Amino acid sequence: MSNLPAIEGGRPVREKKIYYGHQYLDQADYDAVVEVLKSDYLTCGPKIEELEKKICEITGAKYAVACSNGTAALHMAAMAVGLGEGNELITTPITFAASANCALYVGARPVFADINPETYNIDPDSVEAYIGPATKAVVAVDYTGQAVELDRLMDICKKHNLVLIEDGAHSMGTIYDGRPVGSVADMTTFSFHPVKTVTSGEGGCVCTNNENYYKKLLLARSHGITRDASLMSKEPEGPWYYEQVDLGYNYRMTDIQAGLLISQLDKLQMFKKRRREIVDSYNSAFEKIDGIIVQKEIEQSDTCRHLYILRLDLKKLKIDRRQFFDALGAENICCNVHYIPVYYFPHYSKLGYKKGLCPNAEALYEEMISLPLYYGMTDKDVEDVIEAVNKLVDYYHV
Ligand SMILES: *Cc1c(COP(=O)(O)O)cnc(C)c1O
């Protein structure tokens, strides 16, 4: 009974556990960090400028503002829009909570639009249906790294005078219809948490082509304080002079983090290529399995993939997602689920959000598991994951 699932007492497909994500650092990354540690600046130094220039080169954006994390990037973007009490921001429930929380930080209300049931990205038709007089911005998440339908969303936002913020936490390196993510939406935010494609430990960034947003992002990042004479209330009193012209935060990134990220970004194309190979192996294996649904990719998106979603066709299986997840774990394939619909959380229930808002998102949540996907996976690791999925679907097929 070699094909008995481990959870039923069989042998697991592998002895060593594999997890859903892992950062990849090499000697160049270690050296980059040590170089900064030995330099004059640990923060507010030249590495930040160098990093921002590099991000502009990669994304094609005019301006980049590095910051402490992806959540801060979203908060800064909401501040730059001028979002506040009485305003609404439309986003997707299939995301990390921060995409919606940025509205709450500034006193605005998040509104959840449903997803496209095949791509799992926010559905532009659903966005349009939720636009009302209070709507001021849309936060569209490039879920799993695949670009949202940017052209349609830009058109909708233009037509209704809304700001499009793209949450690119998953999509650094993705290109939409020839234009890199970061250069298309009004503002694009990134995260450099270790589970993301490139990392600075903690880190984030906002990209924009709009000088007005750029100035507001700089203020939001550093206490609302400026040395830019054009923003001051009076002539500087001397070379030491600065003014706090707004209320901002300390959302700065350190030069240590920037040094690491510059080095990581040198490997972005290498990461993208390997992630693509793994996704292609998964797709071609799972397309043949009755009981598994493969995520649809739109042709405009040349995707740098962050997550791989295994979607179970539960009508074809005798077990549910929880049981499948546990059975994979017993095979030593340790997965995750991205994401619990944001409005399911108790904090959102307290604010009046109820189950049933977004049927496509809720259906996806019941059926999905995030499989291991990261640069350092070997071909054997990929084969083990495929073998485990095959074994379980075979055994539990109706
Ligand atoms: C990771 C993530 C964030 C938050 O980024 P942090 O750097 O962890 O603050 C925001 N949105 C999405 C979609 C994410 O995956």
Side-chain angles (χ1 to χ4, degrees):
M1 287 295 280
S2 69
N3 267 345
L4 190 65
I7 204 163
E8 312 279 355
R11 257 179 78 92
V13 295
R14 53 187 283 134
E15 293 307 318
K16 193 164 171 281
K17 287 188 193 310
I18 182 171
Y19 293 90
Y20 90 94
H22 200 277
Q23 70 273 18
Y24 178 85
L25 275 77
D26 61 13
Q27 191 60 43
D29 295 322
Y30 310 143
D31 292 346
V33 170
V34 171
E35 181 199 318
V36 178
L37 290 175
K38 290 177 173 170
S39 78
D40 290 332
Y41 292 93
L42 298 186
T43 191
C44 302
K47 283 290 168 190
I48 297 297
E49 222 171 286
E50 187 184 334
L51 170 66
E52 291 175 342
K53 205 169 145 253
K54 187 162 187 125
I55 291 175
C56 285
E57 277 162 17
I58 292 169
T59 61
K62 217 160 158 188
Y63 306 102
V65 180
C67 61
S68 47
N69 55 66
T71 305
L74 284 159
H75 187 188
M76 284 161 46
M79 288 169 71
V81 172
L83 210 65
E85 211 125 329
N87 298 149
E88 290 179 354
L89 174 155
I90 300 175
T91 190
T92 169
I94 299 296
T95 185
F96 184 61
S99 312
N101 287 345
C102 67
L104 300 179
Y105 291 155
V106 294
R109 187 172 171 84
V111 171
F112 294 99
D114 208 349
I115 56 164
N116 176 306
E118 293 183 311
T119 66
Y120 316 151
N121 268 336
I122 198 165
D123 175 1
D125 291 329
S126 182
V127 170
E128 207 157 21
Y130 279 108
I131 294 172
T135 314
K136 216 161 170 185
V138 173
V139 169
V141 180
D142 298 323
Y143 177 64
T144 72
Q146 168 162 235
V148 289
E149 292 173 60
L150 274 166
D151 283 333
R152 277 214 60 207
L153 289 168
M154 288 296 285
D155 284 347
I156 291 167
C157 286
K158 270 210 191 86
K159 186 168 137 202
H160 297 275
N161 203 20
L162 311 177
V163 181
L164 180 62
I165 300 169
E166 188 175 1
D167 181 343
H170 298 183
S171 60
M172 174 54 81
T174 292
I175 295 169
Y176 176 84
D177 203 17
R179 291 161 287 168
V181 163
S183 63
V184 186
D186 295 305
M187 282 181 268
T188 306
T189 64
F190 293 105
S191 163
F192 307 116
H193 184 277
V195 298
K196 310 294 158 80
T197 305
V198 287
T199 187
S200 52
E202 294 275 3
C205 183
V206 188
C207 287
T208 184
N209 294 328
N210 179 310
E211 190 181 2
N212 182 38
Y213 291 146
Y214 174 61
K215 288 187 169 174
K216 288 186 169 156
L217 292 166
L218 291 177
L219 288 174
R221 175 172 69 179
S222 202
H223 310 279
I225 284 174
T226 185
R227 289 178 186 276
D228 178 348
S230 73
L231 298 176
M232 289 183 189
S233 63
K234 56 177 189 180
E235 284 297 304
E237 290 165 10
W240 68 86
Y241 191 73
Y242 58 82
E243 280 187 3
Q244 186 192 340
V245 297
D246 219 331
L247 184 63
Y249 297 82
N250 178 351
Y251 278 166
R252 293 187 303 264
M253 179 188 273
T254 66
D255 280 54
I256 307 165
Q257 293 164 314
L260 173 55
L261 188 53
I262 290 165
S263 173
Q264 284 268 296
L265 284 167
D266 286 337
K267 292 183 273 290
L268 181 62
Q269 291 316 314
M270 181 179 101
F271 290 159
K272 178 176 178 175
K273 184 165 168 280
R274 179 62 182 152
R275 284 171 173 270
R276 184 74 243 171
E277 282 168 10
I278 298 167
V279 168
D280 287 343
S281 301
Y282 282 161
N283 280 347
S284 54
F286 299 149
E287 269 156 9
K288 292 185 232 129
I289 304 183
D290 184 51
I292 300 296
I293 298 160
V294 172
Q295 179 182 4
K296 182 181 165 189
E297 299 185 57
I298 60 170
E299 66 183 52
Q300 293 94 327
S301 183
D302 168 7
T303 303
C304 183
R305 272 290 273 274
H306 165 53
L307 292 174
Y308 190 90
I309 306 303
L310 182 78
R311 185 171 191 175
L312 305 172
D313 187 350
L314 293 176
K315 295 183 298 296
K316 306 278 174 65
L317 299 171
K318 282 182 266 190
I319 57 174
D320 65 14
R321 188 266 310 273
R322 172 65 201 269
Q323 292 163 319
F324 203 100
F325 183 95
D326 289 344
L328 276 173
E331 303 296 335
N332 288 325
I333 313 291
C334 304
C335 299
N336 209 324
V337 172
H338 298 90
Y339 293 91
I340 303 163
V342 173
Y343 60 79
Y344 279 14
F345 291 127
H347 185 73
Y348 279 83
S349 306
K350 275 188 284 175
L351 297 172
Y353 297 84
K354 291 191 173 60
K355 265 196 183 180
L357 268 181
C358 300
N360 295 337
E362 295 183 13
L364 174 64
Y365 173 62
E366 295 303 324
E367 299 172 353
M368 67 174 166
I369 292 171
S370 305
L371 293 184
L373 174 61
Y374 53 92
Y375 176 79
M377 283 179 82
T378 63
D379 290 344
K380 178 71 170 65
D381 292 334
V382 178
E383 282 162 25
D384 288 347
V385 174
I386 291 170
E387 189 189 332
V389 170
N390 259 315
K391 176 176 162 182
L392 297 179
V393 175
D394 266 356
Y395 187 81
Y396 293 112
H397 206 276
V398 288

